[in-house]
Amino acid sequence: MKRWQITFRRGLSRLLVRLGKLIHLGEPPERTAFAFALGVFIAFTPTFGFHYLTALIVFWILRLNLPALLVGTTVNNPFTIAPIYSFCLWIGLLLVGGKEPRQPIDWELSWSLIAQLRPLLVPFLVGTLLVGTIASLLSYWLFYRLARRRWLAKQKRLMGVAGRGRGQAGQTPPPLS
C-alpha cells in the first residue's frame, strides 16, 4: 500500500472517531441529526460571514446540540464557499430565470457594484434556499442513520452489562425507520 493511501485511511479513521464522539453527546439521534441538518441549512444561507452567529442564535433559541450545529455549519468554509454559492446561483438562474452578467463585474465597492449584482439577488436567494433545504434533508437522513446505529450499539452494550448483574435494565430502543 502506498504512503498516501495509509495517510488518507488514517485521517479518515480519525475523522470517523471524532464524528462518533459528536454522536455520543447524550442526546437522542433524532435531536442530534436535526441540529446537524439545521447547521447544514445555515451553511447554505446567503448570510455570508454570519453563519456561526446565526448558529449561536439558533442554539440559544432552540437549545439544540451546539457541536452538531456548528459542525453542520462548517460545510460552508473558505474551501467550499465558491463552489457552493456558484452552484446555488446557477440553480437559481435555472429556476427563476435571469441572465448572467456578460460583462466583467467591477468589484470596487461602490453603488455601481450593487446595481450590477441586483439582477442576481433573487436567483441567488432562491438557489441557496432550495439547495440548502435539499442538502439539509439529505444530511439529516445520513446523520440520523449513523447516529441511530451508534445509539443502538450503545444501548445493546448497556443492556448486556446491566443484564448480567441485575436482570433486564435500560429502555427499549425505538424501531429503526
Side-chain angles (χ1 to χ4, degrees):
M1 193 177 298
K2 295 181 181 175
R3 184 179 181 111
W4 67 269
Q5 290 173 327
I6 295 170
T7 306
F8 176 75
R9 285 187 178 184
R10 191 175 297 144
L12 184 61
S13 69
R14 286 180 185 164
L15 177 67
L16 290 175
V17 166
R18 289 187 178 140
L19 189 59
K21 288 180 182 178
L22 176 66
I23 291 170
H24 284 299
L25 292 176
E27 290 193 355
E30 299 85 9
R31 194 162 164 81
T32 306
F34 178 70
F36 181 77
L38 194 55
V40 170
F41 181 77
I42 290 169
F44 278 84
T45 59
T47 56
F48 177 68
F50 297 102
H51 291 134
Y52 287 116
L53 180 63
T54 307
L56 289 173
I57 291 170
V58 167
F59 163 74
W60 183 65
I61 293 171
L62 299 178
R63 297 292 183 215
L64 293 173
N65 184 333
L66 183 61
L69 192 64
L70 292 177
V71 168
T73 305
T74 59
V75 166
N76 198 346
N77 58 59
F79 299 109
T80 61
I81 191 162
I84 285 175
Y85 280 166
S86 298
F87 180 72
C88 290
L89 178 60
W90 180 68
I91 292 293
L93 286 170
L94 286 176
L95 292 175
V96 174
K99 298 178 182 174
E100 296 178 35
R102 297 289 177 212
Q103 60 202 23
I105 295 175
D106 180 21
W107 289 103
E108 190 173 312
L109 189 59
S110 67
W111 289 108
S112 65
L113 174 65
I114 295 170
Q116 291 176 36
L117 295 178
R118 183 171 290 137
L120 301 176
L121 182 64
V122 171
F124 182 67
L125 290 174
V126 169
T128 55
L129 295 178
L130 178 68
V131 174
T133 301
I134 292 170
S136 66
L137 290 173
L138 284 173
S139 67
Y140 176 85
W141 181 76
L142 289 170
F143 198 87
Y144 174 74
R145 294 194 48 94
L146 179 63
R148 174 98 174 126
R149 185 176 300 156
R150 299 287 299 236
W151 188 77
L152 286 173
K154 181 180 178 184
Q155 292 299 316
K156 196 175 195 180
R157 274 194 322 271
L158 288 175
M159 288 175 70
V161 170
R164 281 186 250 145
R166 291 180 271 142
Q168 288 289 358
Q171 66 187 70
T172 320
L176 184 60
S177 48

